[in-house]
Amino acid sequence: MDSGLTGGNLDALLQERAEDVATLRNLVQDVLQPEHDDIWLLRFLLSNGSPAASQEPIRFTIKWRAERAEALAKVRTGANAPHYDQVSKYQVAGDHKYTSLGEPIFIVRIGLCNPRALMDNVPYNDVVDYMMLSRESTLLYLDAKSRETRTLIKVITVLDFANFSLLRGNDSRFSKVLGDTSKLSEKMYPQLLGRTVFVNTPAIFTWCLKLIKPLMSEKSVAKMVFCPGGKRLGDCPFVSMYLPLPDLPSFLGGACTCGGRGCIGGIPNSQTTPVNAIDDDGLASMTVAARSVQSLDVALTKGCVLEYSIGVTGKRVKVSVVFKGAGGVAMVLPKQFLEAAAGLVEGMWSAPEDGIASVVFDTSDAVFRGREVKYKVNVVDEPSAP
């Protein structure tokens, strides 16, 4: 069974399975195209065991890709997968650097996602198609890297459950999406999908996993790795050996802030409140719990410009923007109560030195219910044109 581990000398595997590759080629010759070479066939053999067992997945994959040839061609040239604009409003996920083995790392901040809103607003088949087509750019990298190094390279997926809420994060429709895409990925992307690392899992996660496991393939379940005791990724034995701490996002215990822009989905690394949605103008919304403070911290280097837009959709919220550097504290936006009628507060501020800018939402005067805010924070070398 495929364990999800990177490794395996391509040339040795091709020599070892040469007879099976030839047999498989004869079985599916009628559907093969020039790009379907021996390495492409080998991946199916390694995942499915025999030429006979590999035949149906290959025919299915070629047919599926032919039906989506136009979309796949656009993704290969750098375009987003279809339905990206809709799906990304409710998901905080993205690629982030590589391991020392050259494996790309895909991170999902589960606790900040909004699967219920996603399934309420985007058709089921569109979500499935997006999740499959968005894998294309990763597939291209893995295939090229594997051919270059003559070693099978696979992707590492990190699922961060910090701030996960069962009431918010559990949706049976999205669980089915995960199950369907897991099985499709196993069928169409053999030897490309590697380990899935679970980190910051809550105590209730064991119960959640019991609901999800029956929907997933045995191979996908076998590739799961759990950091002991819900520790941060930097402490996880599976990855600590070859994943440099400076390359880990700060929300996983590393040092990377991606220049203050937020490592995943454009959401600040310091954000702990789940995203409600991201609108067409790039404004994210979240509900800050009553009697709490949410600070969005952004790293700035001298001369960089902080651009911010802040708004409130309902009852008032105290907002401020403060900068802290070696030279002291500067109030970028003084503390003030902001109400929906005031509209957006927008501004630009150039950092006089390296430091941290914090956009602060304070709901200390809210007694029972949280209050929704919306915001967009960006760091640029030069200010945007008005």
Side-chain angles (χ1 to χ4, degrees):
M1 179 178 289
D2 178 16
S3 66
L5 291 171
T6 281
N9 183 288
L10 267 181
D11 297 311
L13 289 168
L14 285 168
Q15 183 175 359
E16 178 185 337
R17 302 300 296 268
E19 185 176 340
D20 284 339
V21 169
T23 299
L24 179 56
R25 180 173 292 280
N26 287 332
L27 288 173
V28 295
Q29 187 67 49
D30 57 305
V31 296
L32 294 182
Q33 299 297 319
E35 65 265 25
H36 301 139
D37 61 5
D38 285 355
I39 292 177
W40 191 85
L41 293 171
L42 175 66
R43 293 181 181 278
F44 284 90
L45 278 170
L46 292 175
S47 287
N48 295 285
S50 69
S54 302
Q55 184 176 180
E56 189 277 330
I58 285 177
R59 292 184 180 278
F60 178 91
T61 299
I62 292 175
K63 180 175 183 293
W64 188 92
R65 294 180 65 83
E67 292 169 349
R68 296 161 177 80
E70 183 177 351
L72 287 167
K74 291 180 179 178
V75 173
R76 285 195 293 271
T77 60
N80 289 321
H83 317 299
Y84 169 83
D85 289 341
Q86 292 76 34
V87 174
S88 62
K89 293 178 180 179
Y90 311 102
Q91 297 290 286
V92 182
D95 298 310
H96 187 268
K97 300 189 177 182
Y98 306 88
T99 71
S100 59
L101 299 179
E103 302 157 307
I105 305 169
F106 184 78
I107 299 175
V108 185
R109 299 187 71 181
I110 299 288
L112 300 189
C113 294
N114 194 339
R116 186 167 301 167
L118 170 66
M119 301 311 298
D120 284 342
N121 291 280
V122 184
Y124 181 89
N125 288 336
D126 288 354
V127 178
V128 171
D129 253 14
Y130 167 77
M131 293 185 71
M132 297 306 301
L133 291 167
S134 62
R135 287 169 163 78
E136 185 67 12
S137 57
T138 302
L139 180 151
L140 291 174
Y141 167 82
L142 290 170
D143 186 58
K145 190 69 174 178
S146 294
R147 291 171 186 271
E148 174 192 339
T149 62
R150 310 308 295 174
T151 302
L152 285 173
I153 304 295
K154 304 179 183 183
V155 65
I156 299 294
T157 301
V158 178
L159 303 181
D160 177 20
F161 280 81
N163 307 296
F164 173 78
S165 164
L166 182 61
L167 292 176
R168 178 188 177 88
N170 182 41
D171 186 277
S172 60
R173 297 165 298 175
F174 189 65
S175 294
K176 188 174 186 304
V177 166
L178 295 178
D180 287 348
T181 55
S182 168
K183 292 172 184 176
L184 283 171
S185 296
E186 174 191 315
K187 176 176 283 192
M188 296 195 295
Y189 298 132
Q191 298 298 308
L192 293 178
L193 303 177
R195 289 295 182 100
T196 298
V197 183
F198 292 76
V199 65
N200 294 321
T201 53
I204 200 171
F205 181 74
T206 303
W207 180 82
C208 296
L209 191 60
K210 289 180 180 178
L211 298 179
I212 298 174
K213 267 189 175 182
L215 301 173
M216 304 180 73
S217 68
E218 290 185 11
K219 291 181 181 178
S220 295
V221 173
K223 297 175 185 179
M224 293 179 177
V225 175
F226 297 88
C227 287
K231 292 182 180 179
R232 301 176 79 79
L233 191 58
D235 299 323
C236 186
F238 178 75
V239 295
S240 61
M241 292 185 296
Y242 59 92
L243 194 59
L245 198 60
D247 287 345
L248 273 179
S250 56
F251 60 82
L252 290 176
C256 184
T257 63
C258 296
R261 292 166 176 82
C263 291
I264 303 298
I267 300 298
N269 284 7
S270 62
Q271 183 166 330
T272 57
T273 303
V275 173
N276 293 335
I278 301 174
D279 68 17
D280 294 336
D281 295 322
L283 284 164
S285 62
M286 64 180 175
T287 302
V288 182
R291 293 169 294 181
S292 68
V293 176
Q294 170 67 74
S295 177
L296 307 180
D297 301 329
V298 179
L300 297 178
T301 55
K302 182 179 180 179
C304 283
V305 175
L306 174 72
E307 298 181 335
Y308 60 88
S309 300
I310 305 170
V312 175
T313 61
K315 293 185 177 182
R316 71 179 194 173
V317 175
K318 186 185 290 185
V319 302
S320 62
V321 181
V322 62
F323 175 80
K324 297 178 181 179
V329 177
M331 292 302 299
V332 180
L333 178 69
K335 293 181 181 180
Q336 57 191 270
F337 282 106
L338 188 61
E339 298 185 358
L344 289 175
V345 173
E346 299 180 306
M348 296 186 300
W349 189 79
S350 180
E353 60 177 330
D354 294 354
I356 301 294
S358 299
V359 179
V360 182
F361 298 98
D362 186 340
T363 60
S364 297
D365 67 333
V367 180
F368 298 111
R369 295 179 180 274
R371 294 179 181 176
E372 187 176 67
V373 299
K374 53 185 178 181
Y375 61 93
K376 181 166 62 175
V377 180
N378 193 27
V379 179
V380 293
D381 295 327
E382 298 290 341
S384 300

